[in-house]
Amino acid sequence: MGLKRVSICYGMATANRPLPSKFPRKDRRGVKQDIPHMKLSRTAARLIGTSAFAIAAIAAQPAYAQDADTTGAEEQADGQLNTIIVTANRREENLQEVPVSAATLSADTVKTIFDAGAEVTALAARVPGLFVESSNGRAAPRFYIRGLGNTDFDLAASQPVSVVMDDVVMENVTLKSFPIFDIERIEVLRGPQGTLFGRNTPAGIVKIDTVKPGDEFAVAGSLSVGSFGSVSADGGVTIPLVDGMVSMRLSGLWQHRGNWVDNGYTGEKNALGGYDEIAGRAQLLITPTEELSILGTYAVRDLDGTSTLFRANILGPGDNELNENYDRDTVFFDAGGGNQAKYKADIATVKLDYDAGFGTFTSITSWANSEGSSRGDIDGGFGASFLPEMGPGFIPFPSDTQDSIELDQFTQEVRLASATGGSIEWQVGGFYFDSDFDVTTVGFDFPPPVTVNHTNESWAVFGQVSTRVSDVLKLTGGLRWTDDQKNFIVKSGSAPQAREVSDARLSWDAAAFLDVSDDASVYARVASGFRAPTIQGRDVAFFSAPSIATSEKIMSYEAGFKSELAGRTVRLNGAIYYYTIKDPQFSAVGGADNLVQLVNADKGRGYGFELDSAFQVTPDFLITAGLSYNNTKIQDDTLAVGICAQCTVTDPTVVLSGNTRALVDGNPFPNAPEWIADVTARYAVPMGNSGELFVFTDWAYQGKTNFFLYESKEFNSNNQVEGGLRIGYAKTDGSFELAAFVRNITDADNVKGGIDFNNNTAFVNDPRVFGVSARFSY
């Protein structure tokens, strides 16, 4: 048979107008209702006041723990779960009435996750089906939904999961790491979302909405301090400037951790592991008339920290267990320049909304810039086999690499959306995207510096229509035409090696939503999408040609149910799905050849389910649970990829041109956890009429996960568990909270990824952190 040969390796680059007090929605029978926006009962107010309750969704289905905290949530009677409002269709809708598998994380949930100074990868497993990881520290996260993602560590990597912040797509991986602070909510939309949210969304979207200026003075903030000198401070203030016409919101974030990891090779104590992250956002809302609003936003970010700490030969051999070479508090680096990671970014956006009566016109214009670099001791140890010393374990050769980026991105979107509440709702629009960036790879002795340039221009037109064909049945359909072009050229250090790829395709989706009773609904959704062609040029630095992957095309089928039972004290939402991908794009990273190459497999498929639940046992006792199962499979009996330098490969192998390659047909997609599960519980004891004592705990589970395209005994993880505990006092009006917390309470040592081109190197999760936090809101 003819075999596809892939050489692989590893290195590192390492405005909206404020909501009215009432807004219309339709009940399950299509009757228009007015719902109080944020009037709170005594019990819900208690829940709002505590991060623990908000966290009740931290792992299972954050949407439920967020019930009492989310802007746009309808307050129910004492002891009932609250309504969650989402914008999955670019409109405010009840989560229970949206024909898509979606979940949310509230502001308090995110604050709790970040209490110890964590960053965006801490969102992993906090929603069923969502996984996030990074081998670039805090700079370039990789997102996966339902097993679809991209393991490419390069700063030019394309991902099938879009991150959209305040309606602006964060396409490059360095923009995806922009700090999350002063937010209203995070929505996770699972499955293809290309109709309304273009830019490579065959897997889904992580949608981040920040707090906007309002007509009244408001201030909120949080501060936590913990082990290793960890500090996380987050806050925002709204200042009305002209009554009813001009308002400003200023918000910011500061996160710090001191160096806490020793360098056993040099003998330096507390040499690595620290960081300083500063970010800010200024927003100015102008509403000259009731119909017109203009929101200007400027956000900045400055990171000075430590990139991922790679640890040589800590796995196996022959299994995926941590061995005697592993010490969480110590690494053995002879290079890497301190594994420094420094990035800056700024984003400017202007959003205009005009209500014309029959519909609303929206324009969103955004400019983004990102620049910075990451350096690392990639081999994770010292010396080499041909030098006088080496360790820990066998080090074939040293590797010290730095990648840097200079990026400019421009986006423009226009939409016209019909007024809500009618039997037919529609929206049409257009989108333009342009990015231009340089990536420079430096090998410090080897390889020599090489700078490559990537440009990407894309435009799209789209439309969606929903119609209520009866009191119980609603149909939705959408189309999007996208034209995408990418260009690549080497600017210095090698021959130009110019490349160009382009594609134009139609994406579409169709959904039916049926009320089967006042308490339960079912839905079905079919969606097609694609990820545009991609060029990967990092191999130029290692004297190889750039590689290209053609478009991947997905067909997704989903059916689900949404229910609220037992007087709205129980919520059960679930979905099953099946998808097929033609020409799926994969990144062959790692392998003894020290290359990174894009490849298209012939086909791929995935199936599974997501289950989200919440149980309001009593007004003061809430339990949530979430579970997802995901089975993915590469379908290509000719795809052969490079293998590790020292690990134990379990796939069939062949020798091509003198090199051993693994046949990966039937393997799962890389970094696609088979199971994700979580449970949270919060119990409160009222303290008079104004406060309560609470205890909250959350536990997340990640099942079997393979790190690379090939399978081995070493480079995978399974049965990973992390838990947290929070105990404190909160005012029932949400104005103040004081709590003690611990993250990773068992101090679990969980392997999060590996590097295989040199030795059995891996990197691990954050350590246990104890601390205290305070929050206020007025």
Side-chain angles (χ1 to χ4, degrees), residues 727-747:
I727 302 174
Y729 170 82
K731 300 281 288 185
T732 55
D733 62 2
S735 62
F736 179 75
E737 175 196 304
L738 181 65
F741 68 87
V742 55
R743 305 303 303 167
N744 189 11
I745 190 171
T746 62
D747 202 22

Side-chain angles (χ1 to χ4, degrees), residues 140-164:
R142 299 185 284 262
F143 290 79
Y144 306 77
I145 294 178
R146 292 180 172 175
L148 291 180
N150 185 1
T151 58
D152 189 353
F153 58 85
D154 190 72
L155 297 179
S158 164
Q159 296 185 358
V161 177
S162 267
V163 174
V164 178

Side-chain angles (χ1 to χ4, degrees), residues 512-700:
F513 190 91
L514 177 67
D515 293 321
V516 296
S517 72
D518 290 340
D519 302 318
S521 301
V522 295
Y523 72 91
R525 182 173 185 262
V526 181
S528 83
F530 84 107
R531 178 156 54 125
T534 303
I535 305 172
Q536 171 55 271
R538 192 173 188 278
D539 287 356
V540 173
F542 295 87
F543 313 107
S544 294
S547 57
I548 292 174
T550 60
S551 296
E552 66 179 17
K553 288 77 69 177
I554 185 171
M555 277 296 303
S556 173
Y557 308 88
E558 177 181 320
F561 67 91
K562 302 193 175 187
S563 62
E564 293 175 332
L565 310 171
R568 292 206 65 190
T569 61
V570 175
R571 179 177 288 136
L572 295 174
N573 289 353
I576 58 173
Y577 61 87
Y578 177 85
Y579 61 80
T580 59
I581 307 178
K582 183 178 180 182
D583 301 318
Q585 296 181 19
F586 292 113
S587 295
V589 300
D593 289 332
N594 197 24
L595 297 173
V596 180
Q597 292 190 341
L598 296 174
V599 60
N600 288 106
D602 183 27
K603 293 184 294 184
R605 68 104 181 103
Y607 64 82
F609 68 83
E610 294 124 4
L611 180 64
D612 306 308
S613 64
F615 306 89
Q616 193 74 59
V617 182
T618 72
D620 298 309
F621 186 24
L622 176 70
I623 298 174
T624 72
L627 178 68
S628 64
Y629 171 74
N630 181 52
N631 185 296
T632 58
K633 185 177 182 180
I634 300 170
Q635 297 175 314
D636 190 333
D637 58 8
T638 67
L639 182 58
V641 304
I643 62 173
C644 53
Q646 297 188 47
C647 74
T648 310
V649 176
T650 58
D651 288 323
T653 59
V654 294
V655 177
L656 300 174
S657 302
N659 298 307
T660 302
R661 299 287 182 259
L663 297 171
V664 298
D665 182 48
N667 286 356
F669 297 170
N671 278 332
E674 193 171 49
W675 291 94
I676 289 176
D678 56 84
V679 176
T680 74
R682 180 187 188 276
Y683 184 74
V685 178
M687 300 293 291
N689 294 322
S690 61
E692 65 180 4
L693 296 178
F694 66 86
V695 177
F696 171 81
T697 186
D698 65 283
W699 294 86

Side-chain angles (χ1 to χ4, degrees), residues 181-199:
F181 61 97
D182 196 30
I183 67 162
E184 182 177 292
R185 63 174 169 259
I186 297 177
E187 298 176 23
V188 178
L189 313 180
R190 298 175 285 225
Q193 306 293 326
T195 298
L196 294 180
F197 296 94
R199 289 311 309 149

Side-chain angles (χ1 to χ4, degrees), residues 116-117 227-231 255-260 273-276 766-767 769:
S227 312
F228 312 109
S230 301
V231 180
Q255 291 181 318
H256 167 83
R257 178 168 293 171
N259 288 327
W260 60 278
Y275 52 79
D276 281 285
D766 280 347
V769 177

Side-chain angles (χ1 to χ4, degrees), residues 371-387:
E371 60 181 51
S373 64
S374 298
R375 182 177 174 182
D377 189 326
I378 310 303
D379 61 79
F382 61 90
S385 57
F386 55 86
L387 296 174

Side-chain angles (χ1 to χ4, degrees), residues 53-68:
F53 172 51
I55 282 214
I58 209 170
Q61 159 56 326
Y64 304 141
Q66 170 205 332
D67 284 347

